[in-house]
Amino acid sequence: MSSAAPTPVTKALIYGGKTGWIGGKMAALLREKGIEVVLAESRVENRADVAAELDSVKPSHVLMAAGITGRPNIDWCEDHKPETIRTNVIGTLNLVDLCNERNIHCTVYATGCIFKYDDAHPLGSGIGFTEEDAPNFDESFYSQTKGYMEPMLKCYPNCLILRVRMPISDDLSHRNFITKIVKYERVVNIPNSMTVLYEMLPASVAMFEKGLTGVYNFCNPGVISHNECLDLYTKYIDPTYKYKNFSLEEQAKVLKAGRSNNELDATKLLRDLPEDVKINDIKTAVELCMQRMQKNLTDEFGPLPDSLPKEVRKD
């Protein structure tokens, strides 16, 4: 376990808090805990502006949840490489480096989509990639930029790097992995490590409160497949929902960039989490998430599934 001397979390400056999904959720979570939150105004690629903001706000902690993933998906990055580098590489390094100069703990919500199953980590083996493994997936430019970043970020003693994967929430956000695959005509069916935000974002607070630094696989333990996720969606949200599978080879024909599929080992995360923080295995976590989603959507829209928005209903 690597850690900095814990500093009380009194004021958090969040990059990606104004318009970002995870950044917005972290802002709400910290405010609920009574922690002062400032949503960053500067853009991370503008080093002088970030430095001035850090000196003005004087945060105890910085959260980096800004990044380019592309709209509607990471295929966008294939045709916008300079823009992707500017935020995902230059901007992230700017922020972490400036925080290090000021001895400010910085948590980076990064990605675990930098690996793919291989001979040493076969699909279905239960052998997950650890924090020490070097990235082996570069079939999308988005993942390439993230793969470049991690070895550099590890050099900073003030930095906590969280490998988020296929994040899942209990709403219909367009960023929610479940919402994304519900809208697809066809899906691959491959077990993957995933991150249920309801459980994992509070865990991240406990981690930076403890002063943890370095890389962590930031996923619920175990793996769950696309089909298992959609079966739970059918069970709790829309019994009329139907889906079709296709192969990785068929998927590759309709995508500009490849997609990462992997299992990440949760041993280090479970070892270093504070004792009072409990996270469920991924299959339990997703089922509980669907139960919360059922209640949330019923409260928001009315009886399911007829009240669901059109974009998630299939004729």
Side-chain angles (χ1 to χ4, degrees):
M1 177 177 67
S2 55
S3 62
T7 301
V9 183
T10 55
K11 183 191 288 188
L13 178 60
I14 303 180
Y15 287 81
K18 282 197 164 184
T19 58
W21 183 42
I22 287 178
K25 286 183 176 295
M26 287 305 302
L29 185 61
L30 292 176
R31 284 172 174 146
E32 286 174 12
K33 291 173 66 71
I35 295 167
E36 184 180 355
V37 171
V38 178
L39 304 182
E41 299 281 351
S42 59
R43 298 186 65 83
V44 287
E45 61 266 33
N46 298 331
R47 185 178 176 92
D49 293 347
V50 173
E53 187 163 36
L54 288 171
D55 292 337
S56 171
V57 174
K58 294 182 169 53
S60 65
H61 291 72
V62 168
L63 309 185
M64 172 54 171
I68 286 185
T69 55
R71 297 287 178 89
N73 55 48
I74 61 168
D75 284 351
W76 181 93
C77 300
E78 302 299 311
D79 298 320
H80 298 82
K81 292 181 178 179
E83 298 96 315
T84 305
I85 291 170
R86 196 173 300 127
T87 298
N88 291 0
V89 179
I90 297 169
T92 304
L93 282 174
N94 272 342
L95 181 59
V96 172
D97 186 57
L98 290 166
C99 286
N100 187 59
E101 286 181 351
R102 292 156 176 78
N103 198 30
I104 300 170
H105 188 285
C106 183
T107 299
V108 177
Y109 293 88
T111 183
C113 292
I114 52 178
F115 297 100
K116 63 178 179 181
Y117 289 114
D118 61 13
D119 290 343
H121 309 82
L123 174 66
S125 67
I127 302 170
F129 291 90
T130 72
E131 287 78 1
E132 303 308 313
D133 287 319
N136 72 345
F137 177 78
D138 62 359
E139 294 166 31
S140 76
F141 189 71
Y142 168 80
S143 290
Q144 280 184 38
T145 65
K146 296 294 189 172
Y148 301 150
M149 287 300 303
E150 191 175 275
M152 291 185 277
L153 293 176
K154 287 165 74 171
C155 297
Y156 286 92
N158 64 314
C159 188
L160 172 63
I161 305 127
L162 302 177
R163 291 174 174 169
V164 177
R165 282 215 80 229
M166 297 177 168
I168 296 172
S169 60
D170 46 25
D171 54 31
L172 290 177
S173 165
H174 69 277
R175 294 292 196 187
N176 180 2
F177 174 74
I178 302 286
T179 307
K180 287 181 180 180
I181 63 173
V182 161
K183 296 176 184 178
Y184 293 163
E185 287 301 316
R186 294 178 294 171
V187 295
V188 295
N189 184 35
I190 301 177
N192 271 281
S193 287
M194 301 187 192
T195 304
V196 174
L197 298 180
Y198 180 87
E199 297 190 6
M200 299 302 292
L201 293 186
S204 74
V205 179
M207 293 171 79
F208 60 72
E209 284 179 332
K210 189 177 177 180
L212 294 180
T213 57
V215 178
Y216 284 85
N217 290 334
F218 196 61
C219 305
N220 294 79
V223 292
I224 188 169
S225 70
H226 296 61
N227 283 14
E228 288 173 305
C229 288
L230 291 174
D231 288 344
L232 288 169
Y233 180 85
T234 302
K235 177 179 178 180
Y236 289 104
I237 310 300
D238 185 358
T240 70
Y241 180 80
K242 300 285 189 293
Y243 61 88
K244 296 177 182 177
N245 290 128
F246 65 161
S247 67
L248 281 174
E249 293 74 22
E250 291 171 315
Q251 182 193 50
K253 293 176 183 177
V254 299
L255 296 177
K256 188 166 288 191
R259 298 295 191 266
S260 161
N261 293 287
N262 67 57
E263 177 172 355
L264 300 181
D265 187 302
T267 303
K268 180 183 177 184
L269 175 72
L270 296 175
R271 182 194 73 198
D272 292 352
L273 277 175
E275 288 185 8
D276 59 337
V277 177
K278 304 299 180 190
I279 56 176
N280 288 296
D281 69 272
I282 188 61
K283 292 185 181 182
T284 301
V286 173
E287 180 144 21
L288 292 172
C289 186
M290 290 298 100
Q291 291 172 7
R292 290 191 302 273
M293 183 189 279
Q294 181 187 60
K295 181 182 186 305
N296 293 343
L297 297 182
T298 301
D299 290 347
E300 182 176 0
F301 298 117
L304 304 178
D306 293 343
S307 65
L308 286 169
K310 288 182 179 178
E311 63 262 26
V312 295
R313 295 302 304 276
K314 289 189 176 179
D315 296 331

